[in-house]
Amino acid sequence: MVGIPGQQLQVYYSLESGFVEAALLSPPVTFSAAKKGYYKIIDVGAMVEMPGGGLTTMIKTIQSRPAEVKRVIHALQSAKDEIRKSKPKTVELIVKLLKMDKEAASETYDAFQTTLSPNGVPNRAGIDNLVRSLQTQGRFTDRKIAFTEVADDRLATEVAKELGYKLQ
């Protein structure tokens, strides 16, 4: 296995040219590869619970301005809900912002849907996987990292309850 630095398209071109026999690709490049007859061997994203993004701020901000942080979390959750409810509008936005054709944008939307947290609350299993991933890279190997060192789910939990989401 060889890592090829660069953008997804460069990795895809390496696959197409025969320079590599397999490649780790992400949407929307995966759609082009499928159209050309390449097969998905494994879908890593479907196998590993891992956060794909999140809201980051200073601990001081959470402590000193919790109402503002909650408003931001609420806005993000509302936007995510709108994305879920309105595929046509979201696909048009993807086409416009990412300069993608409508078919690829639709497939990107479908793939993106699988990554969205249902309630916006950080998932402990996902955070644990993220920490383990960092540790395999040689970071934080000297100690056990607690969830609370990496994520604070209190305000997100409050917002989820306010929005009526079911929590486990």
Side-chain angles (χ1 to χ4, degrees):
M1 185 164 169
V2 177
I4 301 172
Q7 301 296 320
Q8 283 282 297
L9 280 177
Q10 292 167 314
V11 175
Y12 175 61
Y13 295 147
S14 295
L15 180 65
E16 254 190 332
S17 71
F19 184 72
V20 297
E21 294 179 14
L24 182 61
L25 300 174
S26 301
V29 177
T30 51
F31 311 134
S32 299
K35 284 180 187 172
K36 294 247 177 145
Y38 291 98
Y39 295 96
K40 185 186 299 184
I41 298 169
I42 189 168
D43 184 351
V44 176
M47 297 178 63
V48 178
E49 194 165 345
M50 178 91 61
L55 177 63
T56 304
T57 190
M58 304 291 288
I59 293 170
K60 180 174 88 174
T61 303
I62 294 171
Q63 293 169 342
S64 65
R65 301 188 335 239
E68 183 178 345
V69 174
K70 279 181 65 173
R71 285 193 301 275
V72 170
I73 294 169
H74 190 283
L76 289 170
Q77 274 304 111
S78 296
K80 208 171 0 170
D81 288 344
E82 191 60 33
I83 287 170
R84 276 194 186 101
K85 292 178 197 169
S86 182
K87 181 175 180 175
K89 282 173 43 180
T90 305
V91 167
E92 286 305 316
L93 185 63
I94 293 169
V95 166
K96 182 179 175 182
L97 293 177
L98 300 179
K99 312 278 188 263
M100 198 180 288
D101 69 73
K102 196 165 185 165
E103 183 181 355
S106 180
E107 291 171 332
T108 298
Y109 173 90
D110 293 340
F112 179 65
Q113 285 286 79
T114 67
T115 70
L116 294 177
S117 163
N119 58 28
V121 178
N123 176 296
R124 290 180 186 262
I127 296 294
D128 288 344
N129 286 334
L130 180 62
V131 169
R132 276 194 292 282
S133 173
L134 291 170
Q135 288 173 329
T136 63
Q137 298 171 12
R139 299 169 65 190
F140 311 112
T141 57
D142 58 332
R143 63 190 175 92
K144 179 158 175 43
I145 306 295
F147 174 84
T148 55
E149 290 180 76
V150 181
D152 184 342
D153 62 354
R154 294 171 299 161
L155 297 178
T157 300
E158 286 179 31
V159 171
K161 288 178 183 175
E162 290 168 9
L163 291 171
Y165 296 125
K166 293 182 182 179
L167 300 175
Q168 298 174 357

Short mmCIF file of all heavy atoms in Angstrom, two decimals, residues 9 11 21 31 71 81 83 86 96 99 104 107 143 150:
data_model
loop_
_atom_site.label_atom_id
_atom_site.label_comp_id
_atom_site.label_asym_id
_atom_site.label_seq_id
_atom_site.Cartn_x
_atom_site.Cartn_y
_atom_site.Cartn_z
N LEU A 9 -8.82 13.71 -7.12
CA LEU A 9 -8.75 13.49 -8.57
C LEU A 9 -7.38 12.94 -8.98
O LEU A 9 -7.30 12.09 -9.86
CB LEU A 9 -9.05 14.78 -9.33
CG LEU A 9 -10.53 15.11 -9.46
CD1 LEU A 9 -10.72 16.45 -10.17
CD2 LEU A 9 -11.30 14.02 -10.18
N VAL A 11 -5.47 11.03 -7.17
CA VAL A 11 -5.47 9.63 -6.77
C VAL A 11 -6.28 8.81 -7.78
O VAL A 11 -5.86 7.74 -8.22
CB VAL A 11 -6.05 9.47 -5.34
CG1 VAL A 11 -6.18 8.01 -4.96
CG2 VAL A 11 -5.17 10.21 -4.33
N GLU A 21 -3.33 -0.15 -8.29
CA GLU A 21 -4.38 -1.13 -8.56
C GLU A 21 -5.63 -0.90 -7.74
O GLU A 21 -6.70 -1.43 -8.06
CB GLU A 21 -3.84 -2.53 -8.31
CG GLU A 21 -2.74 -2.91 -9.30
CD GLU A 21 -2.19 -4.30 -9.04
OE1 GLU A 21 -2.80 -5.08 -8.29
OE2 GLU A 21 -1.13 -4.59 -9.61
N PHE A 31 -18.17 8.21 -7.40
CA PHE A 31 -19.24 8.06 -8.39
C PHE A 31 -18.66 7.96 -9.80
O PHE A 31 -19.13 7.15 -10.61
CB PHE A 31 -20.23 9.22 -8.29
CG PHE A 31 -20.70 9.50 -6.88
CD1 PHE A 31 -20.74 10.79 -6.39
CD2 PHE A 31 -21.08 8.46 -6.03
CE1 PHE A 31 -21.15 11.04 -5.10
CE2 PHE A 31 -21.49 8.71 -4.74
CZ PHE A 31 -21.53 10.01 -4.27
N ARG A 71 -27.20 28.58 20.81
CA ARG A 71 -27.85 29.14 19.61
C ARG A 71 -27.16 28.65 18.34
O ARG A 71 -27.82 28.34 17.34
CB ARG A 71 -27.87 30.68 19.67
CG ARG A 71 -28.91 31.24 20.63
CD ARG A 71 -29.14 32.73 20.45
NE ARG A 71 -27.95 33.54 20.62
CZ ARG A 71 -27.50 34.00 21.79
NH1 ARG A 71 -28.14 33.72 22.91
NH2 ARG A 71 -26.41 34.76 21.84
N ASP A 81 -31.53 19.60 9.65
CA ASP A 81 -32.90 19.12 9.46
C ASP A 81 -33.45 19.57 8.10
O ASP A 81 -34.14 18.81 7.42
CB ASP A 81 -33.81 19.62 10.58
CG ASP A 81 -33.55 18.93 11.90
OD1 ASP A 81 -32.89 17.87 11.91
OD2 ASP A 81 -33.99 19.46 12.94
N ILE A 83 -31.67 20.18 5.44
CA ILE A 83 -30.98 19.37 4.43
C ILE A 83 -31.68 18.02 4.29
O ILE A 83 -31.93 17.55 3.18
CB ILE A 83 -29.49 19.17 4.82
CG1 ILE A 83 -28.73 20.47 4.59
CG2 ILE A 83 -28.86 18.01 4.05
CD1 ILE A 83 -27.31 20.46 5.17
N SER A 86 -35.16 18.48 2.45
CA SER A 86 -35.25 19.08 1.13
C SER A 86 -34.09 18.67 0.23
O SER A 86 -33.15 19.43 0.01
CB SER A 86 -35.30 20.60 1.26
OG SER A 86 -35.43 21.17 0.00
N LYS A 96 -24.30 24.20 -7.30
CA LYS A 96 -23.82 25.59 -7.38
C LYS A 96 -22.48 25.77 -6.66
O LYS A 96 -21.54 26.33 -7.22
CB LYS A 96 -24.88 26.51 -6.78
CG LYS A 96 -24.54 27.98 -6.85
CD LYS A 96 -25.66 28.81 -6.26
CE LYS A 96 -25.29 30.27 -6.22
NZ LYS A 96 -26.33 31.08 -5.60
N LYS A 99 -19.72 23.04 -7.95
CA LYS A 99 -19.55 22.97 -9.41
C LYS A 99 -19.61 21.52 -9.89
O LYS A 99 -18.73 21.01 -10.56
CB LYS A 99 -18.22 23.60 -9.84
CG LYS A 99 -17.94 24.95 -9.25
CD LYS A 99 -18.65 26.05 -10.02
CE LYS A 99 -18.21 27.42 -9.56
NZ LYS A 99 -19.05 28.06 -8.60
N ALA A 104 -24.14 13.69 -9.93
CA ALA A 104 -23.10 13.52 -8.90
C ALA A 104 -23.52 14.23 -7.61
O ALA A 104 -23.27 13.73 -6.51
CB ALA A 104 -21.77 14.06 -9.39
N GLU A 107 -25.98 12.00 -5.82
CA GLU A 107 -25.29 10.88 -5.18
C GLU A 107 -24.50 11.35 -3.96
O GLU A 107 -24.42 10.65 -2.95
CB GLU A 107 -24.38 10.19 -6.19
CG GLU A 107 -25.15 9.45 -7.27
CD GLU A 107 -24.26 8.94 -8.40
OE1 GLU A 107 -23.19 9.53 -8.66
OE2 GLU A 107 -24.65 7.94 -9.03
N ARG A 143 -1.22 7.92 27.57
CA ARG A 143 -2.30 7.90 28.58
C ARG A 143 -3.64 7.60 27.93
O ARG A 143 -3.80 7.67 26.72
CB ARG A 143 -2.37 9.24 29.30
CG ARG A 143 -2.71 10.39 28.38
CD ARG A 143 -2.52 11.75 29.11
NE ARG A 143 -2.73 12.84 28.19
CZ ARG A 143 -3.90 13.44 28.00
NH1 ARG A 143 -4.95 13.07 28.68
NH2 ARG A 143 -4.02 14.43 27.14
N VAL A 150 -12.12 15.39 25.08
CA VAL A 150 -12.24 15.57 23.64
C VAL A 150 -13.56 16.23 23.26
O VAL A 150 -13.62 17.00 22.30
CB VAL A 150 -12.13 14.20 22.92
CG1 VAL A 150 -12.22 14.35 21.42
CG2 VAL A 150 -10.84 13.50 23.32
#
